[in-house]
Amino acid sequence: MKLHFVSSQAPEAIKAAQKLKHLFGQAPRDDADVIVALGGDGLMLETVHTVIDSNQAIFGMNRGSVGFLMNEFETGDLTDRIAAATETTIHPLKMTVTDKKGTTHSALAFNEVSMLRQQHQAAKLRISIDGKVRLDELVCDGIIVATPAGSTAYNLSAHGPILPINSPLLALTPISPFRPRRWRGAILSHEAEVEIEMLEANKRPVSAVADQTEFRDVVKVVVSEDEKRSARLLFDDGHSLAERVLNEQFQF
């Protein structure tokens, strides 16, 4: 089994990578059977974006802070763990934004696409699903479109629903909604196309973020699942991502 190790800049992650390279060797990335990521969830997202077009599986080990997408760090039986691992395939969201200058930008998100107010004034948003306006005006700090994999991240912190990892669903979750006060978001089909228009964009500027890619001063954002692209994540037997998402719903 040919392994390629990547790490975050945290000292413990760098040290772990050096040790594992010594034990198992360091295959060139393009020739590796599995990419082993050492760090936290931020590194995992970065790695997923890096190898998305190569179809290489990723086995993460936690050398960071949160590590929801990572396995526990162990060194001795690494190849056996990888061989016995459970694979989860996840699809990204494609975000297409138009900014105030009329320029169009695109980015992918495996966790979530979020729109956030840039200044002290709340954002005003109009929400359409599959071409039909569903909410004429939402006054809020922002809004999130989350995948099942991302539903336990920023989406959960904003009181959005946790989605089973294999469910064909997306979560649409407002951030600090002011009007309408009682709207708590929606659960959508993964086939839905979500369009967010920024009302009063000059007065109330908004940024759009896809995982770690941000565009500022946007006037329209369109989000849909990119079913043609995917990432393969490996988890220790008995500790699959589906099991972790389920467990998260019983944590207090």
Side-chain angles (χ1 to χ4, degrees):
M1 184 182 295
K2 293 181 289 185
L3 305 178
H4 179 83
F5 298 93
V6 296
S7 71
S8 70
Q9 294 304 306
E12 59 269 28
I14 295 172
K15 182 178 179 180
Q18 292 172 341
K19 180 177 181 179
L20 290 169
K21 289 175 186 178
H22 176 74
L23 291 173
F24 299 98
Q26 173 77 327
R29 194 188 77 182
D30 293 342
D31 294 334
D33 299 309
V34 176
I35 307 297
V36 179
L38 301 158
D41 287 344
L43 177 74
M44 175 59 82
L45 287 176
E46 180 182 328
T47 305
V48 164
H49 283 278
T50 300
V51 304
I52 186 172
D53 293 320
S54 69
N55 200 37
Q56 291 167 297
I58 305 170
F59 186 88
M61 288 196 287
N62 189 17
R63 292 283 84 186
S65 55
V66 179
F68 184 81
L69 297 175
M70 314 299 270
N71 298 287
E72 291 186 7
F73 177 72
E74 297 285 349
T75 60
D77 58 348
L78 179 58
T79 54
D80 290 338
R81 289 171 66 191
I82 292 174
T86 299
E87 180 175 314
T88 297
T89 299
I90 58 175
H91 296 279
L93 299 173
K94 181 180 179 180
M95 177 184 77
T96 303
V97 307
T98 304
D99 64 22
K100 290 181 182 179
K101 297 178 180 179
T103 305
T104 300
H105 311 272
S106 295
L108 298 177
F110 282 92
N111 264 8
E112 76 277 316
V113 169
S114 54
M115 279 129 276
L116 308 165
R117 65 181 176 98
Q118 291 177 197
Q119 296 181 1
H120 62 282
Q121 287 186 302
K124 280 189 178 181
L125 313 176
R126 177 181 292 127
I127 302 171
S128 299
I129 309 297
D130 295 328
K132 182 176 180 178
V133 175
R134 295 290 181 176
L135 192 54
D136 281 315
E137 183 178 288
L138 171 66
V139 181
C140 59
D141 281 353
I143 196 166
I144 300 166
V145 184
T147 67
S151 68
T152 58
Y154 191 10
N155 173 73
L156 181 58
S157 297
H159 306 291
I162 295 176
L163 303 176
I165 191 63
N166 294 317
S167 63
L169 301 171
L170 302 174
L172 181 65
T173 303
I175 304 169
S176 301
F178 180 66
R179 291 197 183 102
R181 291 181 185 271
R182 296 184 182 277
W183 190 66
R184 291 294 178 261
I187 295 176
L188 308 175
S189 165
H190 72 120
E191 297 177 338
E193 181 180 86
V194 182
E195 181 178 306
I196 313 290
E197 298 172 84
M198 315 306 153
L199 308 178
E200 302 178 21
N202 290 324
K203 180 181 179 182
R204 304 170 184 271
V206 173
S207 66
V209 184
D211 283 350
Q212 299 159 333
T213 303
E214 180 180 13
F215 302 100
R216 297 178 71 81
D217 297 317
V218 302
V219 296
K220 185 172 74 171
V221 178
V222 179
V223 182
S224 60
E225 183 182 80
D226 189 344
E227 60 181 16
K228 295 182 179 180
R229 288 182 162 181
S230 62
R232 301 164 55 211
L233 306 185
L234 302 177
F235 295 92
D236 283 324
D237 187 35
H239 299 277
S240 69
L241 187 55
E243 178 67 18
R244 294 172 190 217
V245 170
L246 183 60
N247 283 339
E248 191 70 24
Q249 298 178 77
F250 295 90
Q251 299 297 316
F252 301 98

